[in-house]
Amino acid sequence: MDRRTLLGGTAVLAAGGLALSPSASPSADDGVYVERLGERQIMVWTRRPGHLWIRYDLRHFTDPDKRMDAWRIQGISAVSSPAPQLRIRQAGPPPATGAVTLLTTAGAYPFAIKPEGAKDHFGGIHGDELLRSVLFLADGRSVNPSGVTRAEEFELAQDTEVFDPAAAAPTPLGLVNVRHVFTADGLRIRWVLRWTAARTIIYAYGAMLPAVRDEAVTSWFRYLDQAGEQDISRTGHGAKPSDSFGVQMYNRKNGLAMSVEVEPGFFNGFTQSDRRGIWVYDGDTYNKVYPTRVSLPGREQVAAGDVWELDAFYRFFYP
């Protein structure tokens, strides 16, 4: 019999394993599993009934040269198991022998913002963002994940301070609270940026989705407020931007689809986005979605005390 302890209302595997199978009840087979792989890595496994597992790879990144210290999404994958049973164990990623399909690459999922005069953005993989505090929560209670933890909802919340990329010495621009909330239905990212200095912003993106471009991952997309679709199967596809609130991407081979939907308030009425409210990148090897608040020639002047907010939801389907 498995020995389990209760941590913040969440069952934690203390020894042995929990055997799962496609025919198991939703309480055993679906939901969220949080696997701690070390001090700097957490795997979050989610599964909706009748679908493959969706695995989020969370990493704690530090890079003094970039002034970067924050938790990030390294990548999102779909995982299937050829075995008749799926076993989640205390050691080793579940399922150990599963086939993995990479859905997204590493990227600046929550935000990337560029002030005028800077060579780069701040946020995400760009840097100029330092961790001030971090909190993990399972079903609404703080936890210190260890081994494998099951929950209906898991949250990674962090407070960071962002800095001016154009300044050699650390020059604070704002304080950010970011929440990553994982459920079987998908990922919700919410953040609040409280500006502490005045700047002119020339590019501002939030809730990005760096999907892999591949005929078995993403090759088509649609805007959520339009009954039409566009081909994004190649480099230079030239998909048309739109002042929309969300995008769904998919292929026509295996039922895989993914979407990101952003609450309209983030876009500030599309007043400074140069009619590029959302667009899909057409270079390299990925179809990256850029929900856009500011894009040249648009500009947004911020002052100390201003507040920006984002509330977005990501969904992944792989029956």
Side-chain angles (χ1 to χ4, degrees):
M1 180 178 294
D2 297 329
R3 292 186 295 111
R4 307 179 191 178
T5 61
L6 197 65
L7 178 58
T10 303
V12 178
L13 294 166
L18 177 61
L20 304 177
S21 69
S23 61
S25 66
S27 61
D29 194 25
D30 305 309
V32 178
Y33 288 85
V34 182
E35 182 186 20
R36 191 65 179 259
L37 297 176
E39 288 300 313
R40 307 177 70 86
Q41 184 179 13
I42 291 175
M43 293 286 197
V44 179
W45 299 76
T46 69
R47 185 178 184 274
R48 64 176 70 228
H51 286 247
L52 302 186
W53 289 88
I54 301 299
R55 184 184 69 187
Y56 303 85
D57 184 357
L58 308 179
R59 306 284 183 97
H60 182 188
F61 286 95
T62 55
D63 186 338
D65 293 336
K66 290 185 175 182
R67 287 194 291 244
M68 180 170 65
D69 179 5
W71 281 83
R72 295 281 177 256
I73 298 175
Q74 171 68 14
I76 303 171
S77 303
V79 183
S80 62
S81 175
Q85 287 189 330
L86 178 66
R87 177 173 295 274
I88 292 185
R89 298 186 296 270
Q90 187 173 5
T97 59
V100 177
T101 300
L102 185 65
L103 307 182
T104 74
T105 65
Y109 288 77
F111 59 88
I113 299 171
K114 186 175 183 178
E116 193 168 42
K119 294 182 178 180
D120 199 0
H121 303 68
F122 65 76
I125 60 175
H126 302 281
D128 285 295
E129 183 182 11
L130 298 180
L131 188 67
R132 297 305 182 217
S133 62
V134 64
L135 186 66
F136 304 109
L137 302 105
D139 294 335
R141 301 185 183 185
S142 64
V143 296
N144 182 16
S146 177
V148 177
T149 303
R150 188 194 182 281
E152 293 301 317
E153 177 182 288
F154 176 72
E155 178 175 345
L156 188 164
Q158 62 182 357
D159 294 324
T160 62
E161 188 169 15
V162 294
F163 298 85
D164 189 347
T171 304
L173 292 185
L175 301 171
V176 190
N177 173 262
V178 181
R179 300 175 59 200
H180 301 74
V181 182
F182 303 87
T183 67
D185 290 329
L187 164 64
R188 186 179 189 183
I189 290 183
R190 301 187 69 183
W191 55 254
V192 178
L193 166 57
R194 296 176 172 87
W195 293 94
T196 57
R199 286 293 187 278
T200 299
I201 305 303
I202 59 174
Y203 292 103
Y205 309 114
M208 287 156 281
L209 178 55
V212 172
R213 179 184 299 122
D214 185 274
E215 64 178 5
V217 184
T218 62
S219 55
W220 291 86
F221 91 104
R222 71 180 183 99
Y223 291 111
L224 296 181
D225 62 343
Q226 300 176 22
E229 59 183 359
Q230 297 187 49
D231 182 353
I232 51 172
S233 62
R234 66 191 183 281
T235 300
H237 53 65
K240 296 179 180 180
S242 178
D243 286 347
S244 179
F245 58 83
V247 160
Q248 185 166 44
M249 295 185 287
Y250 49 92
N251 67 78
R252 293 173 174 171
K253 293 176 64 70
N254 54 27
L256 169 62
M258 63 186 80
S259 66
V260 59
E261 185 171 349
V262 185
E263 284 295 316
F266 164 75
F267 298 102
N268 193 28
F270 302 103
T271 58
Q272 301 300 328
S273 59
D274 189 34
R275 304 182 65 85
R276 296 171 66 84
I278 291 185
W279 53 283
V280 181
Y281 179 70
D282 63 356
D284 300 336
T285 59
Y286 60 47
N287 288 318
K288 186 171 183 178
V289 179
Y290 284 92
T292 304
R293 180 183 176 115
V294 184
S295 180
L296 284 176
R299 286 176 169 83
E300 184 168 347
Q301 180 67 44
V302 297
D306 286 354
V307 177
W308 286 13
E309 297 184 55
L310 175 140
D311 189 346
F313 199 78
Y314 297 75
R315 293 178 174 87
F316 299 89
F317 304 90
Y318 203 148

